[in-house]
């Protein structure tokens, strides 16, 4: 695997600049996760689509992103993260323009596919820049900002596209999203020197993975890697349900006013961002990561079950979304700590690529399944499915933690 020269400790201003620019780029990637689902009511009416057909658009996005993400780490090592980041944001701008001009369902699929290609590289790109350009004392702050800006991108997308769609139209909402991506592209371009990471492109073999023979793919034999992949798969399945059909399912169950449906998702994402700040303090002790995940996602699962069965007044539903968001946000830093512990020295980049692709696989499978539930007029089942995925996260976290500790305790893991 190509090696990247470590950066010297940066000055505070330099660190802040890198963290801010990477955060802006990351927020744009998350923004593009959600430019389609909030506009499903408009697209359904415009093209006469079913809920499962709409869910398939999200599947296209995340299948392509998942396949690309597992390969993107190698591309980043070969050409450097900055060119890949610039190309990815440019693809976002193009994809939104294609969606704005789509004459039918095929155009929507093409736009979703292009956005998926753009999204594929962001975790390898972001972590490559942060790990090399931010000084060690501030790396924790960099990870926190990275997570928060992602949540803010999720929170902004529904309000942004729905507001424009209500006053101008859904095509104009996609066009405005394209302009937003171009603005982010300009920011990255103007700061490209600050983000630049030198790479060695030739003559470097893969770094050996601790406890395994040297080899590019030997890390795939570690149980902790696949348990972490499964954890992210379940996390994405729950999140995919929340981001796509949960607001509409809640509207059908509890007569939530239509104008509040997109607001539910925004509240969830803002609450998640706030919870992430709290979770950053709680995650300082890696040994309690699994317990934090268990309490938080257990609480979120109970809220989801209550939405399925308790006749809550519609005005209270956005508050319940906020409670779930806070719980998930608190768990997020512990989740990231769990994954960092699973990555052995010598295979960090490769592990991030594979493990984070579990997010895309889960997000690709969940929406059409939840869409079928909606087509079958079973909105309560959507919420039960979300609760089941959240409960699965608890078991996955404890199993991944045990596998990591067993690997670290092995005689050859030194």
């Amino acid at each position: 695997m190509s090696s990247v020269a470590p950066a010297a400790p940066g000055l505070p201003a330099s660190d802040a600049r890198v963290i801010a620019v990477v955060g802006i780029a990351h927020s744009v990637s998350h923004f593009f996760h959600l430019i389609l689902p909030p506009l499903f009511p408009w697209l359904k009416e415009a093209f006469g689509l079913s809920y499962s057909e709409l869910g398939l658009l999200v599947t296209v996005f995340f299948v392509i992103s998942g396949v690309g993400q597992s390969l993107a780490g190698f591309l980043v090592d070969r050409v450097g993260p900055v060119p890949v980041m610039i190309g990815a944001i440019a693809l976002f701008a193009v994809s939104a323009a294609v969606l704005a001009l789509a004459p039918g369902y095929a155009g929507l699929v093409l736009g979703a596919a292009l956005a998926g290609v753009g999204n594929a590289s962001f975790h390898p790109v972001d972590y490559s820049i942060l790990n090399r350009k931010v000084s060690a004392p501030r790396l924790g702050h960099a990870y926190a900002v990275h997570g928060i800006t992602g949540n803010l991108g999720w929170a902004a997308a529904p309000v942004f596209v729905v507001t424009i769609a209500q006053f101008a139209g859904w095509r104009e909402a996609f066009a405005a999203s394209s302009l937003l991506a171009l603005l982010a592209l300009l920011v990255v371009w103007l700061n490209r020197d600050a983000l630049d990471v030198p790479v060695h492109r030739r003559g470097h073999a893969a770094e050996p993975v601790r406890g395994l023979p040297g080899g590019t793919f030997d890390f795939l034999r570690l149980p902790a890697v696949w348990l972490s992949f499964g954890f992210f798969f379940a996390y994405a399945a729950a999140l995919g349900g929340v981001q796509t059909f949960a607001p509409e399912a809640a509207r059908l169950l509890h007569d939530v006013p239509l104008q509040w449906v997109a607001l539910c998702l925004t509240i969830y994402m803002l609450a998640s961002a706030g919870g992430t700040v709290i979770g950053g303090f709680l995650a300082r002790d890696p040994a309690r990561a699994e317990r934090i995940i268990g309490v938080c996602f257990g609480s979120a699962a109970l809220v989801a079950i209550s939405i399925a069965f308790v006749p809550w007044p519609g005005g209270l539903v956005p508050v319940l979304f906020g409670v779930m968001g806070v719980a998930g946000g608190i768990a997020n830093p512990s989740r990231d700590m769990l994954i960092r512990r699973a990555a052995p020295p010598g295979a960090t980049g490769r592990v991030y690529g594979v493990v984070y692709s579990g997010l895309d696989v889960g997000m690709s499978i969940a929406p059409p399944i939840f869409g079928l539930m909606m087509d079958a007029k079973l909105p309560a089942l959507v919420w039960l499915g979300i609760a089941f995925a959240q409960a699965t996260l608890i078991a996955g976290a404890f199993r991944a933690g045990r596998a990591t500790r067993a690997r670290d305790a092995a005689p050859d893991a030194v």
Side-chain angles (χ1 to χ4, degrees), residues 165-255:
Q166 286 177 331
F167 289 99
W170 62 267
R171 293 188 187 275
E172 288 76 7
F174 284 133
S177 299
S178 180
L179 293 176
L180 191 66
L182 290 175
L183 181 60
L185 181 62
L186 178 62
V187 172
V188 172
W189 178 260
L190 293 176
N191 290 277
R192 63 192 185 281
D193 292 339
L195 306 179
D196 185 53
V197 174
V199 295
H200 299 291
R201 297 188 176 92
R202 300 170 184 263
H204 290 270
E207 300 173 21
V209 176
R210 181 176 63 180
L212 290 173
T216 301
F217 299 102
D218 284 328
F219 75 100
L220 295 174
R221 293 162 52 188
L222 296 172
V225 171
W226 292 109
L227 287 169
S228 299
F229 174 93
F231 176 87
F232 265 83
F233 175 87
Y235 176 83
L239 184 62
V242 171
Q243 289 184 345
T244 52
F245 297 111
E248 177 68 7
R251 184 183 72 83
L252 296 174
L253 288 168
H254 303 288
D255 295 324

